[in-house]
Amino acid sequence: MGFSRRARDIGTAVAILAFTALIVARIGDAGGETIAGAARAADGDTLTLDGHRIRLAGMDTPEMMQVCKRDGADWRCGVAARSRLAELLRAGPVTCRTQGTDKYSRWLARCETGAGDLGARMVREGLAVAYGDYEDEERFARAERKGLWGTEFDMPQQWRRMNGRPQEDAHEAEPGFLGGILGTLGLK
C-alpha cells in the first residue's frame, strides 16, 4: 500500500510541476519574440525584417493589383498602401513584437517606428481597414473620409474573393505546441 500511495503522490507532484512549468512558459511567451532593424515593404500590410516576412496584425490593406475609384478616376489603392508603408519604414528602424505565425508561415506582429504603431498609422490614414483591431482609428479615418474612405472601394477580403485570390484569415496566430496544450486545458 505504501508504494502505490507514494507513487501516486509523486505522480501528482510531477503533474503539478509540469502544469506550473506550462503556465510559466506561457506567461514568458505571451508577447512573442521582439526583432528590430531596417525593414522593407512587400505590400501594404507585409514587411521583411531580418529575413523574416511579417504580416502586420489587426489590419488589412488593398491588394497590389486592387484599384479603387476616386472622383470617378482609377486610383491604385494597393500600390498607394505599399508606398505609404515603405515611406514609414524609411523613417528609421522598426521594432516588431511577434504573436505567432499565419497560415502562410509569415510572422504576425505589431510593429512600430519612432512615429508609433505602423498598423494604427495605416488605418488612421485610411490606407488600411481594421481587421481585428484598430477600430477607433478606422472610425476616425471614415469620419474624415481619409484614404480609402474618400473613394469607392471593395474591402480587401471581398476583392480577393471576387478575384480568385487566397482569402486572408482572421489574424489568429497558430498556437504552436505549448499554445495547443494550453488551449486544450482551457488556459489560452
Side-chain angles (χ1 to χ4, degrees):
M1 287 273 198
F3 176 75
S4 68
R5 184 174 188 183
R6 182 173 169 87
R8 185 181 66 222
D9 290 347
I10 290 172
T12 301
V14 168
I16 290 170
L17 287 173
F19 184 69
T20 303
L22 284 173
I23 291 171
V24 169
R26 174 66 178 137
I27 291 169
D29 189 39
E33 185 177 339
T34 299
I35 58 172
R40 65 179 179 79
D43 59 28
D45 51 29
T46 306
L47 56 95
T48 303
L49 173 62
D50 196 26
H52 300 283
R53 286 184 58 84
I54 298 173
R55 175 66 162 83
L56 296 174
M59 52 86 99
D60 196 12
T61 61
E63 295 296 314
M64 291 293 291
M65 300 301 294
Q66 190 169 344
V67 177
C68 303
K69 291 280 188 191
R70 178 185 280 165
D71 298 324
D74 286 351
W75 175 52
R76 296 187 60 202
C77 48
V79 171
R82 179 185 179 273
S83 295
R84 181 60 177 141
L85 181 59
E87 182 181 341
L88 292 170
L89 293 172
R90 282 193 298 272
V94 62
T95 301
C96 296
R97 184 99 173 136
T98 66
Q99 302 174 346
T101 58
D102 67 7
K103 70 179 183 180
Y104 302 109
S105 297
R106 298 176 296 189
W107 284 355
L108 287 174
R110 303 263 182 230
C111 299
E112 59 184 45
T113 64
D117 181 293
L118 292 172
R121 185 89 179 254
M122 293 289 289
V123 174
R124 188 173 186 92
E125 292 181 12
L127 293 168
V129 297
Y131 195 60
D133 202 357
Y134 306 118
E135 286 80 11
D136 290 340
E137 289 83 355
E138 183 175 294
R139 277 191 287 279
F140 172 83
R142 281 178 184 246
E144 297 289 320
R145 302 191 45 76
K146 291 185 174 277
L148 297 167
W149 305 109
T151 71
E152 295 174 34
F153 76 101
D154 294 317
M155 294 295 274
Q157 281 284 72
Q158 181 183 3
W159 189 90
R160 286 189 288 270
R161 192 172 21 262
M162 292 183 324
N163 289 278
R165 298 293 178 98
Q167 290 301 303
E168 185 76 33
D169 290 333
H171 293 163
E172 294 179 15
E174 296 294 323
F177 178 73
L178 178 60
I181 291 171
L182 290 172
T184 301
L185 296 173
L187 299 172
K188 187 168 181 181

